[in-house]
Amino acid sequence: MPDTRRSIGFAAAVALVAIALAWGLWEAVQAPVTLRSAPPAVMGTECELKIVVPRHRSGEGRRALASAGDALRDVEALMSVHLADSALSRFNAAGANQPVELPQELLRVLWAAKRMARASDGAFDATCRPVVRLWKDSAKSGRTPTDEQIANALRHVGTRHLALGNGAASKRVEGLELDLGGIAKGYAVDQAAELLQSCPGATGGIVNAGGDLRCFGSAPGGGPWRVGIQHPFREGLCGALSVTDAAVATSGDYRRHFEIGGRRYSHIVDPRTGRPVERTHSVTVVSMGGPGRRPSATDADGWATALSVLGPAGLERIEAEPGLEALIVTGTPARPEVHMTRLFRLLLRADIRLD
Ligand code: AMP
Ligand code: MG
């Protein structure tokens, strides 16, 4: 009898140890790990991707990171004006009234660019390439373009001159050329973020292409993602956002600009005047996800460029767009002015500081 009791006790102890071991193992495989990749510079900018997955899903997580990196490069290969063999460059090289067959993805972005042009009353205009090129060439020669040169360039600008059809696009005027630099990075970020988000078990992730980013779920260690806002007048940050499901894009003259005769000009042009924008130094747009709505880095990117042209007066339009909030910095380093939509403040971790 005592022997039987001892064997039962022994069996119970073994079972307990086994349960504890299994529990420990279960905890270990379920523990979240953060995987990271930094694909080589895409669209002229550094990129960083992160995904948070349970340890036993690490293989899937790594594959999702690789596919997301490929997606960024695929968008660049289709839509860069700097690559002579991109589908966009092929369209730019074509003559007027000749339908050019284009990949669906590029057409999708061209439709988005057309919608942005309409929503911003032409402040965003993907047909601005002749004007952008005129100013860039002037920077090389060291002389600002003449009024006549600007008027000539503007003759080829206007989204109404771009006809989009089923599987093809065509130009309604000779000399029309597209530049998707104001929206394609956002679109690329969306494609990559969707791939991370569909990874089985993913509880969080972020795709950051040089400050244009989209995140979902929780950051490593839990809680919301912290997104810094670059100070427009000096190194460092002027604020930080706390977001979970969101896309954030920033346009600023401190980021990319050129100089003519010692004067700094923004790389963003006002398609209505043919001149670089002057008053707006930095624009940050946040697109938030909500019930039945994913955040859109495409919209955030497009609107950041459009608001650079429209200035603070454009904030009214953002107030009318569901899920969008924006911050604009104008003024001078000595007297900076901060403008924001009503709810932008709620996304900030602390007040914007421009000192
Ligand atoms: P972003 O940094 O997103 O504001 O994009 C700026 C880039 O978009 C410029 O370098 C140009 O290639 C292009 N761009 C400049 N002005 C405009 C404009 N008004 N609308 C659309 N794209 C523009
Ligand atoms: Mg943009």
Side-chain angles (χ1 to χ4, degrees):
M1 210 43 188
D3 272 359
T4 314
R5 223 179 280 149
R6 213 176 296 139
S7 343
I8 291 173
F10 181 70
V14 168
L16 274 178
V17 170
I19 289 170
L21 280 176
W23 181 253
L25 199 65
W26 171 252
E27 291 257 284
V29 296
Q30 287 298 323
V33 289
T34 304
L35 308 172
R36 183 183 165 275
S37 78
V42 183
M43 281 168 271
T45 190
E46 298 299 316
C47 298
E48 192 188 31
L49 281 61
K50 283 185 202 160
I51 187 167
V52 184
V53 284
R55 186 176 298 280
H56 72 286
R57 298 282 199 185
S58 297
E60 282 115 317
R62 260 183 231 106
R63 278 193 291 281
L65 282 177
S67 315
D70 289 346
L72 293 174
R73 273 185 295 275
D74 289 350
V75 173
E76 179 177 38
L78 280 181
M79 304 185 198
S80 172
V81 284
H82 305 295
L83 301 175
D85 59 352
S86 71
L88 190 72
S89 296
R90 196 157 46 79
F91 177 78
N92 281 345
N97 303 314
Q98 303 169 7
V100 180
E101 275 184 36
L102 295 175
Q104 279 306 327
E105 256 204 304
L106 176 52
L107 282 166
R108 213 176 300 144
V109 177
L110 294 181
W111 279 114
K114 266 209 174 228
R115 276 195 302 274
M116 271 303 311
R118 200 173 320 124
S120 68
D121 262 346
F124 183 95
D125 195 330
T127 69
C128 64
R129 184 159 160 78
V131 176
V132 170
R133 203 184 19 225
L134 173 66
W135 282 89
K136 280 196 181 146
D137 289 349
S138 304
K140 280 185 211 136
S141 72
R143 250 181 268 136
T144 51
T146 62
D147 290 350
E148 194 187 348
Q149 284 174 311
I150 292 173
N152 271 338
L154 279 177
R155 257 198 290 227
H156 312 292
V157 173
T159 311
R160 64 189 182 286
H161 302 311
L162 171 67
L164 298 179
N166 213 355
S170 66
K171 307 175 180 187
R172 293 198 177 108
V173 287
E174 210 61 64
L176 183 94
E177 284 192 48
L178 302 175
D179 177 343
L180 292 174
I183 199 169
K185 209 202 290 174
Y187 178 79
V189 166
D190 276 332
Q191 301 313 298
E194 291 286 340
L195 286 165
L196 294 191
Q197 210 158 346
S198 60
C199 173
T203 53
I206 191 165
V207 176
N208 186 346
D212 286 359
L213 61 91
R214 182 167 140 186
C215 58
F216 65 93
S218 308
W225 295 88
R226 181 184 186 280
V227 177
I229 303 175
Q230 176 68 47
H231 197 300
F233 301 127
R234 60 167 170 78
E235 289 291 303
L237 303 178
C238 65
L241 300 161
S242 201
V243 285
T244 35
D245 282 292
V248 183
T250 298
S251 287
D253 57 5
Y254 62 90
R255 292 187 131 204
R256 269 185 292 151
H257 54 262
F258 52 87
E259 282 185 19
I260 307 178
R263 204 179 139 190
R264 217 167 97 161
Y265 291 93
S266 169
H267 65 295
I268 299 172
V269 295
D270 185 335
R272 300 160 305 183
T273 62
R275 290 170 199 281
V277 303
E278 290 197 47
R279 281 191 59 217
T280 321
H281 301 302
S282 168
V283 178
T284 298
V285 177
V286 182
S287 158
M288 277 166 309
R293 190 185 59 229
R294 290 276 173 103
S296 165
T298 311
D299 289 351
D301 189 5
W303 273 112
T305 307
L307 283 182
S308 299
V309 175
L310 295 170
L315 287 178
E316 258 177 41
R317 290 165 199 265
I318 300 295
E319 297 279 12
E321 297 276 334
L324 287 184
E325 302 295 335
L327 163 84
I328 301 182
V329 180
T330 58
T332 61
R335 300 188 65 166
E337 287 164 32
V338 177
H339 317 258
M340 48 180 113
T341 49
R342 271 175 301 135
L343 299 183
F344 192 91
R345 202 177 296 281
L346 299 181
L347 305 172
L348 288 170
R349 295 168 70 94
D351 262 352
I352 295 287
R353 292 197 54 168
L354 285 163
D355 44 4

